[in-house]
Amino acid sequence: MNAVILPDGPSLPRFVQGGVAIAAPLWMMRRLHARYGSAFRINIPVFGEAVVISDPAEVKQLFMTGPELADILDINLGLILGPNSFFAISGDAHRKQRKLLTPPFHGRRLRAYEAIIEQEAVREMATWPEGREFATLGPMMRITLNAILRAVFGADGAELAELRRLLPAMVKLGSRLVALPIPRTDLGRWSPWGRAHAYRLEYDAIIDRLIAAARQDRRLDERDDVLALMLQSRHDDGSGMSRDEISDQLLTLLTAGHETTATTLAWAVERLRRHPAVLRRLADEVDAGGSQLREATILEVQRVRPVIDGTVRKVRAPGLRLGRWALPEGQVVLVSIYLIHRDETLFPNALSFDPDRFAGHRPDTYEWIPFGGGVRRCIGAAFAHMEMNVVLRTMLRDFTLEPTRERGERWHSRGIAWCPAQGGRAVVRRRATVVRRADGQEP
């Protein structure tokens, strides 16, 4: 392919576009979409000259394109999560790792994690103040962290306590470093990158102890945690996962599934408090033992408040035809999750929160894309959905969530994830008809 065909875009210098992208990225996307349509060019730091797309047909074509033609763009994730992370490997290596790690997030093993998540939700919610407003983002972070540490890492005892202490600060720092330029000189242990390196050394030491303990466990084959599965899994040639692969992928699974799931749950609280009719119906559904509206609510929260606003690919082939465009080798393509979820032709009255739009059916996988798509779709999507379902069910069963007439909370960037600016504030009262101990059992 010789002729290059790219969409139009602003001609402002990179530093100007970059400044706007840092100060008001969502506003920038809306304005450019209004001016140029479903595809446009931007020129910003880190990504460089990128094509932004939000047309479903073009998004589908990109997601279905093989990795030899267009694959993930690793910004800093490989440095933060490790060279064996899903976000750093591609091609055959990515396919092999994905094949090994898909089983624990489906079927029997997925159902086995439900009890762990409910236990952690009940334990954390037992500390919630009644009748007094508080931010739910922190509690949701603790629920998802503890659930992943038990279900994925198989952590317990001293290792569980150490990871609980270490990982929140490690993930928070890493999410901010992803979008920052990598320094050309070593700035030492007190720099952000130096602190990230120190965190990683501490993390690796804990994982080494968990791996050593698991290998000595005579009942390893009876365990359901992902670490146990990793140690027993084998490639087609009979080889197992290396220690570095296990360490990097465990951190990847935690990073991808902990903060994003907790943030979506905080957004769910924020949205439901401002839609009392939906909230009442959800409470009635929980009492009746149903789940259809709750499932639809989770989908709608992810549509109107996507925690990750975009996903990126880079053209690897000499050229790539993508719908109306002919892209050159090296071209960065950014799929705007934010814009496609706001598309009125796909979701009528798109800015309204309306879970009934998904009642009884699943959305199209190339129009509703909070987990990305194609071979790069988040491997833990089913786990995350199940976790959100269990946490919301537990909250609605055990508490009355009080509505509010306050304006919706602003979007606030935490580096990678977009969260409610005030942390998804809630006022709750324990339901008198249901009293449970912190271990999840009725007295």
Side-chain angles (χ1 to χ4, degrees):
M1 184 185 71
N2 296 319
V4 173
I5 306 173
L6 299 176
D8 292 333
S11 58
L12 295 170
R14 177 181 294 187
F15 77 92
V16 176
Q17 294 190 45
V20 177
I22 292 171
L26 300 182
W27 176 87
M28 178 181 181
M29 287 292 164
R30 294 195 303 270
R31 288 297 300 269
L32 294 177
H33 181 268
R35 180 172 181 180
Y36 298 104
S38 63
F40 49 85
R41 285 182 292 113
I42 57 175
N43 189 356
I44 58 177
V46 180
F47 291 111
E49 295 186 358
V51 171
V52 179
I53 63 172
S54 59
D55 177 88
E58 292 170 357
V59 170
K60 179 178 181 179
Q61 184 183 346
L62 182 65
F63 283 163
M64 294 181 69
T65 297
E68 71 282 0
L69 301 178
D71 205 1
I72 193 170
L73 172 67
D74 176 19
I75 308 170
N76 295 340
L77 285 171
L79 287 175
I80 294 169
L81 300 176
N84 302 288
S85 163
F86 276 128
F87 294 108
I89 57 178
S90 60
D92 195 49
H94 177 265
R95 181 188 60 79
K96 290 180 178 179
Q97 289 286 329
R98 194 175 182 92
K99 182 179 179 181
L100 288 181
L101 295 177
T102 295
F105 296 109
H106 294 85
R108 179 191 65 80
R109 287 183 180 270
L110 186 63
R111 291 190 295 272
Y113 302 143
E114 289 191 26
I116 292 175
I117 294 165
E118 183 170 359
Q119 289 167 10
E120 293 300 334
V122 170
R123 180 177 291 110
E124 178 63 36
M125 290 177 188
T127 69
W128 285 9
E130 290 193 66
R132 177 166 57 85
E133 193 174 61
F134 67 101
T136 58
L137 182 57
M140 296 304 185
M141 288 280 195
R142 289 189 288 273
I143 291 171
T144 59
L145 175 63
N146 291 336
I148 286 182
L149 289 179
R150 292 177 59 190
V152 175
F153 286 66
D156 199 1
E159 285 74 27
L160 178 59
E162 290 182 52
L163 288 170
R164 279 175 175 166
R165 171 190 57 80
L166 171 67
L167 288 172
M170 186 177 178
V171 171
K172 183 177 181 180
L173 176 60
S175 67
R176 297 190 180 281
L177 291 179
V178 165
L180 294 179
I182 302 171
R184 296 182 180 275
T185 57
D186 186 356
L187 301 178
R189 58 181 298 188
W190 303 114
S191 70
W193 284 99
R195 291 201 306 276
H197 179 66
Y199 284 150
R200 181 58 197 247
L201 291 176
E202 188 175 358
Y203 163 81
D204 283 338
I206 299 170
I207 297 303
D208 284 345
R209 297 203 300 272
L210 285 174
I211 291 175
R215 283 177 171 156
Q216 295 176 7
D217 189 347
R218 297 180 179 178
R219 305 180 67 179
L220 181 65
D221 59 346
E222 299 176 17
R223 287 171 43 173
D224 286 314
D225 58 272
V226 177
L227 172 59
L229 179 77
M230 286 180 171
L231 290 171
Q232 298 172 84
S233 63
R234 293 293 180 269
H235 293 290
D236 293 339
D237 63 1
S239 63
M241 295 182 68
S242 69
R243 174 266 184 201
D244 289 344
E245 288 174 333
I246 292 174
S247 183
D248 290 355
Q249 295 295 22
L250 284 175
L251 184 58
T252 300
L253 293 173
L254 178 130
T255 302
H258 155 52
E259 183 176 11
T260 53
T261 303
T263 304
T264 301
L265 286 166
W267 274 123
V269 170
E270 189 274 345
R271 289 290 80 198
L272 289 175
R273 291 192 69 204
R274 288 154 179 84
H275 295 82
V278 176
L279 186 55
R280 285 193 298 270
R281 290 170 59 200
L282 285 169
D284 291 342
E285 181 185 66
V286 165
D287 292 343
S291 64
Q292 185 179 95
L293 180 60
R294 188 170 64 252
E295 299 269 358
T297 297
I298 293 169
L299 300 178
E300 180 69 345
V301 171
Q302 291 177 291
R303 184 191 71 81
V304 298
R305 295 295 186 272
V307 173
I308 306 298
D309 65 334
T311 184
V312 187
R313 299 289 191 273
K314 186 174 183 178
V315 176
R316 304 294 183 185
L320 176 67
R321 190 82 193 191
L322 185 65
R324 299 162 286 173
W325 319 112
L327 310 179
E329 183 175 4
Q331 178 66 60
V332 174
V333 184
L334 194 158
V335 176
S336 178
I337 299 171
Y338 175 73
L339 290 179
I340 198 170
H341 282 191
R342 293 167 57 92
D343 190 333
E344 287 284 340
T345 64
L346 305 177
F347 306 104
N349 203 14
L351 298 185
S352 296
F353 178 72
D354 180 17
D356 286 319
R357 75 173 80 240
F358 294 128
H361 73 278
R362 301 287 296 186
D364 185 280
T365 54
Y366 299 103
E367 299 174 358
W368 180 89
I369 52 172
F371 296 108
V375 296
R376 289 288 179 177
R377 189 173 190 269
C378 176
I379 195 172
F383 180 93
H385 186 87
M386 177 272 294
E387 186 172 20
M388 289 185 280
N389 190 9
V390 172
V391 173
L392 282 180
R393 182 187 68 200
T394 304
M395 181 185 71
L396 294 164
R397 180 196 67 197
D398 294 357
F399 292 90
T400 296
L401 180 63
E402 294 191 358
T404 181
R405 293 181 179 275
E406 294 180 0
R407 294 183 61 182
E409 296 184 32
R410 295 181 299 101
W411 299 54
H412 172 72
S413 174
R414 288 173 57 91
I416 294 180
W418 287 94
C419 70
Q422 295 179 291
R425 301 191 71 78
V427 177
V428 301
R429 298 190 187 278
R430 182 170 290 278
R431 299 181 66 178
T433 56
V434 180
V435 179
R436 293 176 183 269
R437 302 198 309 253
D439 59 5
Q441 301 299 313
E442 295 184 4

